[in-house]
Amino acid sequence: MDVEDYMLLFFSSWVLISALATKSVDVFLTLTLIGLLITLEVGSLFLSKEQKEGLKPLVELLLVIFAIIVMKKVYEVLSG
């Protein structure tokens, strides 16, 4: 197996375990972002530039969703 296969296996198992362990979509999406960032950081030496560029939109989308989740939680805290 190549390193890319191990990375895909790790990320897939991360998402599956996150989906089974959480009941909230917000927590699931946050854990998915964390898993993707860990996978990219650890395996960045083994990915080609095209593969990294292909994953950028997913990371950006999850970061926007994470920012919305944080803003929603801050609003909940501030509104009482």
Side-chain angles (χ1 to χ4, degrees), residues 4-22:
E4 295 150 347
D5 296 334
Y6 286 118
M7 290 172 51
L8 181 63
L9 180 63
F10 169 77
F11 183 65
S12 300
S13 60
W14 180 281
V15 170
L16 180 65
I17 291 169
S18 298
L20 294 174
T22 61

Side-chain angles (χ1 to χ4, degrees), residues 3-68:
V3 175
E4 295 150 347
D5 296 334
Y6 286 118
M7 290 172 51
L8 181 63
L9 180 63
F10 169 77
F11 183 65
S12 300
S13 60
W14 180 281
V15 170
L16 180 65
I17 291 169
S18 298
L20 294 174
T22 61
K23 295 181 181 178
S24 171
V25 175
D26 294 346
V27 176
F28 169 71
L29 290 173
T30 303
L31 288 174
T32 303
L33 173 63
I34 291 169
L36 182 59
L37 291 175
I38 289 170
T39 304
L40 285 175
E41 190 62 34
V42 171
S44 64
L45 296 175
F46 302 102
L47 293 176
S48 67
K49 185 172 175 103
E50 294 84 24
Q51 290 170 325
K52 289 178 191 175
E53 291 296 320
L55 289 174
K56 267 189 180 180
L58 181 60
V59 171
E60 291 169 354
L61 175 67
L62 287 173
L63 282 173
V64 168
I65 292 171
F66 178 72
I68 292 169

